Amino acid sequence: MILISIFSSFSWWFIIPIAILVLALRDILQNRHTIQHNFPVVGHIRYMLEKIGPELRQYIVANNREELPFNRGERAWVYASSKKENNLQGFGSDQDFNAAGYIFIKHAMLGHKVLANHPNQKDPSAVPCSKTIGEYHKRKRPYKPYSVVNISGMSYGSLSAKAIESLNKGALKFGCYHNTGEGSLSPYHKYGADVVVNIGTAYFGVRDDDGNFSMEKLFKMTSENQFIRALELKLSQGAKPGKGGMLPAAKITKEISEIRHIPMGKDALSPAFHSEFSTIPEMVNFIESMASKTGLPVGIKSAVGKLEMWEELAQYMVKTGKGPDFITIDGGEGGTGAAPHAFADHVSLPFNYGFTRVYKIFQKYELADKIVFIGSGKLGFPEKAMMAFAMGCDVINVAREAMMSIGCIQAQVCHTNRCPAGVATSSPWLQSGIDPALKSERFYNYVKTLNKEILEITHACGYEHPSQMTMQDVDMVMGDNNKTQSLATTFGYNKTKVPFESVEKLLQSPYLGGGKAKLN
């Protein structure tokens, strides 16, 4: 035993110097990395620090409010809300009230009092959409979302199977809808929550063998899955508007191949543009054909850049009485889709500017009250949601906030398939740490808390429903001598009044979505 111990110690101390020497020789002889060549062995420390730099900044260096895309304070609120922990803050605000763009919500001296028999006494998070999707165009199956907060488009393949399952089960429990993303309907979207099927440029899931759109497959999908409540035609997304995408062949499993109707062993390409239409009239005809065949409301999703075609769309809708039932505006700050830096950082307008410009066009043609407007782009916080409702949004979609509620740590490696939280990866090992039973509860807690706080602010402003918020109810800091002005002044319009009677009336709608049984 003594000899073995001595030998082991000798081997240990003998191997270390040899390993260092070999590494030093390797560094000196190679010419790919100058730092390692000039500083053998110790040069590796530089690359180690570079690799863990984001984590060091995230947890040690940065303060609560300086990180992007979501700062520590925002992430902490989502995490605490999803775990039903204390999400309050003490000793006042740590925000810079004078920063340009900072918003103030103006409460009423005497707020809205929720009476004893009001539905929100029983469920303080019940906030149905005030409008009904597809009602104006008389679709066969109109849809009123039970929640004003819903899950934005994130595909299976981009997100892991267990992440999609967790979100869908959480959505079922709360009553919100779950958008599939352009990866199409997967088995993990089929746990019973309302589903909005996103149809992108590659027509995944509803395409033939040549990649062309198949109306027969769309009809089969919607008729066999009655929980599908609407279709969303994706023109572009905030992360990479006007650019296609690619799912590498290595990531295409047999299951993904069958879901998307794509071949194995070949990169799956999403073109930059649709093959079924190239003009506004053609797009509207495509929308109408899908709505007629399936009976479902059909909308469009797009980031915002040039406005000429938005103007043309509004004019064509007035002329024909046809067109999308809802419009989802995705802000340029969107980011669940991997994208080149220039596209992610500089192409398309941020939500505030993009949404308000499009809304004003449809308002000009007296269409604002006939379309359901959906906002997307870092809106999954009470104050940002309230600003969106004041601008004219009827519903908001959340993506990255939903991911954080089920464990995303903002590692920003979604595009590498190495997500440490198992949320944005297809790796069986990495996603094995996700327990859908637990994570679905976490998402449920988050969306319930968000809806509840939206209602609390609504009542503080003197209203019963967030659709009653106006552009005069929110001020924005201009960054000029500490001046603030209303959203109406900042963006140059007052939103069109949304017809509203009562929350109780909304909950009695025959078209109400997933949460209808909750209050019956």
Side-chain angles (χ1 to χ4, degrees), residues 164-174 178 188 191 193 436-437 440-441 443-444:
I164 296 291
E165 178 182 345
S166 300
L167 292 173
N168 195 262
K169 288 181 174 178
L172 172 63
K173 184 172 182 180
F174 184 73
H178 187 178
Y188 312 104
Y191 291 96
S440 61
E441 191 72 18
F443 172 73
Y444 164 75

Side-chain angles (χ1 to χ4, degrees), residues 372-393:
V372 173
F373 286 96
I374 303 174
S376 177
K378 297 175 68 174
L379 301 177
F381 303 92
E383 72 287 351
K384 292 181 180 178
M386 295 303 290
M387 177 190 68
F389 295 134
M391 288 175 169
C393 282

